[in-house]
Amino acid sequence: MNIVVLVKQVPDSGSERKLDPADNTVARAAADNVVNEIDEYAIEEALVVKEAQGGEVTVLTVGPDSATDAIRKALSMGADKAVHISDEAIKGSDAVQISAVLAAALGQLEYDLIICGAEATDSQMSVMPALLAERLGLPQLSGARKLTVDGGTAKIERQTDGGYWAVEAPLPAIVSTWDTINEPRYPSFKGIMAAKKKPVETKSLADIGVDASAVGLANATTQVLDFSGRPPKGEGVKVTDEGDGGQQFVDYLASQKIV
């Protein structure tokens, strides 16, 4: 069973995140960058399938040189090898363009199953699995809270507000996972040391046959026109109870259209 896990490096959602006013893109250089949280669940699920079925897990990421930190995290958890698509021309690309890059890279890999997180915390678009399924002509099993691989079939429980749907598709297929599917393992010291020796292949756009003029901020199909920072927190409203405190409180709630 050959499994490819898609991994993205993103600014830590627990720290302040900013946009660069020069081009209205995410200011990644100054951010505390980490592995996209939901991707860790995808990595873990790939390892679980590998341990049950045999085979190997390949990590695939698109990003700058710093994205190697995300790769090493995945390798230290137990993935076998990685492919890193790194090219200056990619900077500022939107989801549609990145899906073309990922599809081209996947076209050079052998896989039975592609697993990815359901969304990235920096954009929260949740579109990459569907974009890749369309480009590659593969079935998409999205929003998995449970995955079972039985022979040549992948079966999932798709998380919904009221329970789950049972969905299945023949392999090869793309599966996206939520954080309800498992509990990601912590890399052991042995795993961290072993990750340093695992193969990481770095490829440019030319290596995967993608024209640089088709990607990048200038050629993106979407753009951020303007943005503003979060407004400062106000002092609030203080209610002094002189016998009418309850009424003042209700009046304030009504003014905010809460009641």
Side-chain angles (χ1 to χ4, degrees):
M1 177 72 63
N2 292 317
I3 308 167
V4 176
V5 184
L6 307 184
V7 173
K8 185 179 183 182
Q9 186 185 58
V10 299
D12 189 348
S13 59
S15 60
E16 185 178 10
R17 293 172 288 178
K18 298 180 179 180
L19 295 181
D20 186 345
D23 56 13
N24 293 356
T25 61
V26 177
R28 302 183 187 278
D32 181 15
N33 295 305
V34 297
V35 177
N36 180 50
E37 180 182 354
I38 297 181
D39 290 351
E40 293 193 29
Y41 295 86
I43 297 167
E44 174 64 27
E45 196 60 25
L47 296 175
V48 169
V49 174
K50 170 193 167 182
E51 289 164 358
Q53 304 279 343
E56 63 179 11
V57 174
T58 301
V59 176
L60 173 60
T61 193
V62 175
D65 292 344
S66 63
T68 55
D69 293 339
I71 290 172
R72 291 300 176 190
K73 173 67 178 293
L75 294 177
S76 67
M77 289 175 66
D80 299 286
K81 59 183 181 180
V83 176
H84 181 188
I85 309 302
S86 180
D87 197 301
E88 187 62 29
I90 297 173
K91 185 179 186 300
S93 296
D94 62 13
V96 174
Q97 294 167 313
I98 293 299
S99 71
V101 174
L102 285 170
L106 286 164
Q108 297 183 352
L109 298 175
E110 293 184 5
Y111 56 83
D112 302 293
L113 184 64
I114 300 170
I115 305 180
C116 56
E119 68 178 18
T121 57
D122 59 347
S123 61
Q124 297 183 315
M125 296 177 68
S126 303
V127 298
M128 193 56 67
L131 289 172
L132 284 175
E134 179 67 20
R135 289 188 181 278
L136 298 171
L138 297 177
Q140 175 200 187
L141 302 176
S142 60
R145 73 174 193 178
K146 181 179 180 180
L147 168 64
T148 304
V149 178
D150 183 11
T153 303
K155 303 177 181 180
I156 70 162
E157 292 181 2
R158 175 181 290 157
Q159 183 173 313
T160 68
D161 291 338
Y164 71 91
W165 295 349
V167 187
E168 65 179 62
L171 299 179
I174 297 175
V175 174
S176 63
T177 64
W178 284 114
D179 56 2
T180 51
I181 196 167
N182 56 47
E183 188 61 39
R185 68 194 69 186
Y186 288 100
S188 64
F189 177 75
K190 181 179 179 181
I192 294 172
M193 297 305 294
K196 296 179 179 180
K197 299 180 181 179
K198 292 180 179 179
V200 177
E201 186 176 6
T202 301
K203 295 185 177 183
S204 66
L205 290 175
D207 292 331
I208 58 173
V210 174
D211 188 346
S213 66
V215 300
L217 183 62
N219 305 297
T221 58
T222 60
Q223 62 178 310
V224 177
L225 298 178
D226 195 12
F227 70 92
S228 60
R230 180 182 300 170
K233 187 176 181 180
E235 295 182 358
V237 176
K238 186 176 183 180
V239 174
T240 302
D241 188 5
E242 296 179 351
D244 63 344
Q247 186 60 49
Q248 290 186 59
F249 182 57
V250 172
D251 289 346
Y252 172 74
L253 294 178
S255 70
Q256 299 298 309
K257 298 182 179 180
I258 299 175
V259 297

